[in-house]
Amino acid sequence: MGATVSTIVTATATMGAVGAFFAIALVALAKRTASAEDEQIELLTNLLPGNNCGACGMAGCAALAQALAKGEAVPQSCPVASESQIQKLAEALGLTETVHRERRVARVRCGGHRAISQWRADYEGVLDCRAADLVGKGGKGCVFGCLGLGTCSRVCPYGAITMSPTGLPVVNEALCTGCGLCEAACPRGVIAVMDASQEVFVRCVSTAPGKQVRSVCEVGCIGCGICVRVCPENAVEMLGHLACVDPNRCTACGICVEKCPTDAMQIILEDAGVLTAV
Amino acid sequence: MRLTRWWSRKGAKIAHAKETSNLAFEPLAPPALLYFPVQQHQGAPAVPVVKKGDEVRVGQLLARADGPVSANVHSSVSGKVKRIEPVLHPWGIWSTTIVVENDGENRMAELPPGVKDPTELSPEEIQRRVEEAGIVGMGGAMFPAAVKLKPKARVDTVIVNGAECEPVLTCDHRTMLERTDALLYGMKALRHALGAERVVLAIEENKPDAIRLYRELSKVYGYFEVYSLPARYPYGAERVLVPEVTGRALSPGKYPDSVGVVVHNVATVAAIADTLREGLPLIRRPLTVAGGAVKRPANMVVPVGTPIAHVLEAVGLKERPRELVMGGPMMGITVASDEVPVIKGTSGILARTEAELHHFRESACLRCGRCVDTCPVGLMPTQLARLSARGRFDEADRLGVTECIECGLCSYRCPADLPLTQLIRMGKREVLKKARVKRGA
């Protein structure tokens, strides 16, 4: 019994002493070798959002902080940080220019869910839009629209994208930081990151003529140009067969949304979220 | 020598299934409507030079090449341009397509005069004529052939690829047997155009009749030699073929011209001969029609632009196919509709039944290494697929994912039934996309 107690005491004391020695030694070494740069990197890391999402193209916030300290990046390199966070980073780096940043969010520019779009073929294989897109552009009739395999929702580090039961991604704008990873991952360019203040956009990316759009989808932009004609602010223009809203001119009056014959034009309503037929 | 060859052999033995190899080519009459996509090659799409309502003739230029890597598109029938609009393309895209209504009269356009002997033409003239004729690699890659006729470095060896390592397909085999004079003429033309010292016709051992025939001919003519390849897949792939025939290793990311070699498919060589000898542009292509749903498998010479539904009608269908493939079973592309036209690179049409399909039933990777053993370009498919599936494309890039030739052997050999090739292909594209974005930025 006595032997056991003394064993415990000896072991604890020895390990404690070794631990204390190394702790003191490490702290002393750290203090001696500490540089101003290290401190700055730590400060910058703390000022960054800290999500480690990798949207800046680096391994994480610490990596971006290092790049910032070396002058290889600018505060705006972080696509997620808010205006005030960027301002603080700029101050910490001694930059004087003021930075403006709007809050940006991802928006889904396709409304062709399974019930209202045609499918040419059954796709079978790796359940990833990027893989399906390489097999004859996937089975969807529209070669521009959302394939619905949810790659965007899986790459989102913020859990902001979920797939609706009808196979379209739904962005929870409260969680979305506008990092752009989903935009980069989508093989169809269906997801676009835009200013959160932009209220009206076209929920279609098909550049095909109207006849073809009609043949595969009920809600695609057919390029009729009604929106261009009815817009009192001249904020809509046609890029080939696709309408495009200029956010700087749009006042979100909603006339184009009302007149759009296929409901491709969308308006974000503050209380109801996206007005869609999903 | 034999032992070292055995030791260094690449790829794998797979079923050949070349049941159509004894069937002679039959010409297919063009249908009433033909579709000519302006994208029938690698590179920039061609630009239409005709408009709606124009009368066109056989061999007339429909769309002109745009830029250094592009190819002309010609009409394979005479008739009227009905419309020009985006139409579904075999690749799944909607490509601008010139739709021609066939008047059935087969009136020929004015073609450049042919020459009896290709050495009468200067190398530049041959290159120009091949470029004008819109000839692309007919093995399936559809790389403009004229670009290969002005190599950046000196070329001393031309390999004429008659391997046809894809199972099922036999159109290259038939081309070698039936178009002997065209091949001889084409090889002579290539030798002259490139100033090459060697022209090597590489044929797989499973085509002994072709090997015998050309061995005899090479004794008579002497300007080419025959190389017998192991009957293994994928010996027809450039990266396997060039080291095998010349003993020169291809560095990663380099094309054969970096080691003084140019590779042309036999069908391409025959098309080059047709152009120089008769002035004909590339408007017809030999292909194999097969698959379980086909009543009467055949080798055919099909006018470019014919919808595959018309081809399938000609051979008859036993049942509605579950899957349509353009090309061979290993590397062919699945097409999502029978409305898509035969294009210059279509080497086969397979109409497959449910029984012929392979449904992947993924299970856990056993780490057996079969995919690594079998990869003809020395990659680690299991690792690459794993990284791609997890979106770790940078790491896949470091392990050489862009070197993958997408031959499909890793998936074929995998006992855990993992879709390795598809995952690697996805990773490859993501890496290339990133590189493009970087270059653009």
Side-chain angles (χ1 to χ4, degrees):
Chain A
M1 188 71 185
T4 323
V5 172
S6 75
T7 311
I8 294 170
V9 171
T10 323
T12 315
T14 319
M15 289 309 292
V18 171
F21 170 73
F22 279 113
I24 293 163
L26 278 171
V27 169
L29 265 170
K31 281 257 155 53
R32 266 184 68 175
T33 56
S35 66
E37 202 190 14
D38 290 343
E39 265 170 46
Q40 198 196 12
I41 288 173
E42 202 176 323
L43 176 75
L44 291 169
T45 311
N46 291 336
L47 285 174
L48 282 163
N51 301 304
N52 290 323
C53 67
C56 55
M58 318 241 175
C61 293
L64 178 60
Q66 273 181 22
L68 282 170
K70 280 192 205 144
E72 288 164 3
V74 288
Q76 293 94 308
S77 302
C78 175
V80 173
S82 65
E83 191 171 314
S84 67
Q85 277 171 317
I86 289 184
Q87 207 57 55
K88 278 190 194 133
L89 281 167
E91 278 163 26
L93 286 166
L95 303 171
T96 47
E97 51 179 323
T98 49
V99 191
H100 292 291
R101 166 167 287 180
E102 280 246 22
R103 191 174 123 70
R104 288 167 74 75
V105 290
R107 298 243 166 95
V108 181
R109 296 189 295 173
C110 175
H113 62 74
R114 284 189 178 271
I116 52 173
S117 57
Q118 299 292 318
W119 290 72
R120 278 184 275 133
D122 305 327
Y123 166 73
E124 194 183 294
V126 177
L127 293 178
D128 188 306
C129 304
R130 293 169 293 200
D133 189 53
L134 288 172
V135 184
K137 292 271 155 194
K140 196 171 193 169
C142 174
V143 301
F144 302 96
C146 175
L147 286 168
L149 295 175
T151 296
C152 50
S153 71
R154 285 191 295 276
V155 301
C156 179
Y158 302 96
I161 305 181
T162 46
M163 296 304 290
S164 78
T166 49
L168 277 185
V170 179
V171 181
N172 181 341
E173 294 195 2
L175 294 176
C176 178
T177 61
C179 71
L181 287 176
C182 50
E183 187 181 27
C186 179
R188 307 281 206 151
V190 159
I191 295 201
V193 175
M194 52 180 88
D195 288 346
S197 60
Q198 180 177 348
E199 286 176 80
V200 178
F201 65 100
V202 183
R203 198 180 46 163
C204 182
V205 288
S206 171
T207 53
K211 199 176 107 194
Q212 253 141 343
V213 174
R214 272 276 199 226
S215 70
V216 291
C217 182
E218 289 172 24
V219 296
C221 174
I222 53 171
C224 63
I226 288 180
C227 45
V228 179
R229 288 193 293 277
V230 299
C231 182
E233 310 291 335
N234 284 330
V236 191
E237 60 175 333
M238 299 300 296
L239 296 174
H241 299 283
L242 183 65
C244 182
V245 180
D246 178 356
N248 296 326
R249 287 186 177 176
C250 176
T251 57
C253 64
I255 295 178
C256 57
V257 181
E258 205 175 293
K259 297 283 182 198
C260 178
T262 61
D263 289 342
M265 195 64 90
Q266 285 299 306
I267 188 163
I268 305 281
L269 299 176
E270 261 172 42
D271 45 350
V274 190
L275 184 73
T276 64
V278 174
Chain B
M1 175 61 209
R2 294 307 290 188
L3 190 66
T4 49
R5 184 168 163 182
W6 179 84
W7 188 250
S8 63
R9 76 211 198 288
K10 297 221 169 77
K13 262 204 157 74
I14 60 177
H16 299 302
K18 300 208 183 253
E19 280 96 24
T20 51
S21 62
N22 290 324
L23 303 174
F25 282 127
E26 37 190 294
L28 181 74
L33 277 182
L34 287 99
Y35 299 83
F36 300 95
V38 296
Q39 180 85 66
Q40 299 194 39
H41 49 265
Q42 279 183 34
V47 182
V49 292
V50 288
K51 47 184 199 304
K52 190 179 162 179
D54 280 5
E55 288 283 332
V56 294
R57 291 167 176 238
V58 181
Q60 186 178 329
L61 186 70
L62 294 177
R64 184 164 284 290
D66 186 26
V69 182
S70 186
N72 288 343
V73 177
H74 300 82
S75 178
S76 57
V77 290
S78 64
K80 209 178 203 174
V81 176
K82 208 161 174 224
R83 48 184 193 266
I84 300 175
E85 62 176 18
V87 169
L88 193 64
H89 185 281
W91 301 347
I93 55 176
W94 272 332
S95 168
T96 302
T97 298
I98 299 151
V99 185
V100 175
E101 194 170 20
N102 179 14
D103 61 11
E105 285 173 32
N106 220 20
R107 278 169 301 153
M108 296 297 287
E110 216 172 288
L111 298 174
V115 285
K116 269 230 167 75
D117 186 346
T119 50
E120 287 167 22
L121 300 167
S122 69
E124 291 76 30
E125 178 65 11
I126 293 179
Q127 197 266 338
R128 197 192 62 75
R129 286 197 183 201
V130 169
E131 189 171 341
E132 202 53 45
I135 295 176
V136 301
M138 289 164 81
M142 294 191 276
F143 189 79
V147 180
K148 287 196 196 171
L149 286 178
K150 41 181 174 185
K152 289 191 199 90
R154 202 188 119 61
V155 166
D156 58 11
T157 308
V158 178
I159 301 177
V160 177
N161 186 355
E164 197 161 54
C165 57
E166 270 279 351
V168 181
L169 301 188
T170 54
C171 55
D172 284 356
H173 188 187
R174 291 313 303 179
T175 301
M176 285 189 281
L177 294 182
E178 293 180 37
R179 309 229 38 221
T180 315
D181 54 334
L183 267 185
L184 291 175
Y185 183 101
M187 288 195 282
K188 198 171 178 188
L190 283 175
R191 184 189 171 98
H192 171 64
L194 289 161
E197 283 140 34
R198 282 177 83 196
V199 176
V200 186
L201 176 60
I203 310 174
E204 264 190 19
E205 275 164 359
N206 62 357
K207 293 177 260 298
D209 47 354
I211 295 179
R212 244 190 337 267
L213 171 67
Y214 283 93
R215 282 241 160 96
E216 290 299 317
L217 287 167
S218 86
K219 274 182 214 149
V220 179
Y221 293 100
Y223 51 75
F224 72 99
E225 53 199 281
V226 177
Y227 189 95
S228 142
L229 294 165
R232 293 169 72 87
Y233 181 83
Y235 264 91
E238 253 176 19
R239 307 204 80 82
V240 183
L241 183 66
V242 172
E244 168 73 18
V245 173
T246 64
R248 300 173 195 168
L250 273 179
S251 315
K254 291 277 199 256
Y255 293 106
D257 63 353
S258 67
V259 292
V261 181
V262 159
V263 183
H264 283 286
N265 175 270
V266 283
T268 318
V269 175
I272 290 174
D274 289 344
T275 296
L276 302 178
R277 202 160 48 164
E278 290 153 45
L280 265 185
L282 178 48
I283 52 171
R284 280 190 276 273
R285 81 140 297 146
L287 54 81
T288 302
V289 195
V294 170
K295 255 191 210 147
R296 188 177 61 84
N299 285 307
M300 284 186 162
V301 178
V302 177
V304 169
T306 308
I308 60 176
H310 181 77
V311 181
L312 291 174
E313 210 173 285
V315 292
L317 286 177
K318 279 188 258 181
E319 58 183 283
R320 197 181 132 81
R322 257 305 259 138
E323 186 190 38
L324 288 172
V325 177
M326 260 194 185
M330 293 298 280
M331 288 193 68
I333 52 168
T334 307
V335 293
S337 163
D338 62 358
E339 290 160 22
V340 299
V342 167
I343 56 174
K344 292 173 185 176
T346 308
S347 50
I349 297 171
L350 310 181
R352 306 168 90 189
T353 57
E354 179 62 38
E356 287 176 294
L357 294 193
H358 177 78
H359 301 284
F360 281 97
R361 289 196 189 149
E362 294 174 49
S363 57
C365 171
L366 309 167
R367 303 276 179 167
C368 66
R370 255 192 232 181
C371 55
V372 182
D373 283 345
T374 201
C375 179
V377 288
L379 298 173
M380 293 191 286
T382 169
Q383 201 70 4
L384 294 173
R386 192 178 290 261
L387 291 169
S388 294
R390 281 161 183 65
R392 286 156 66 179
F393 303 118
D394 290 354
E395 285 162 82
D397 188 20
R398 278 200 287 280
L399 289 179
V401 71
T402 51
E403 283 303 296
C404 172
I405 58 171
E406 302 174 17
C407 69
L409 265 186
C410 47
S411 297
Y412 181 83
R413 294 282 310 271
C414 180
D417 211 6
L418 297 166
L420 298 168
T421 312
Q422 202 192 356
L423 286 166
I424 294 170
R425 211 170 152 222
M426 173 176 111
K428 186 176 164 186
R429 186 177 77 164
E430 290 301 310
V431 168
L432 295 175
K433 195 166 102 183
K434 212 172 218 178
R436 256 202 315 277
V437 170
K438 223 177 202 168
R439 265 207 311 277

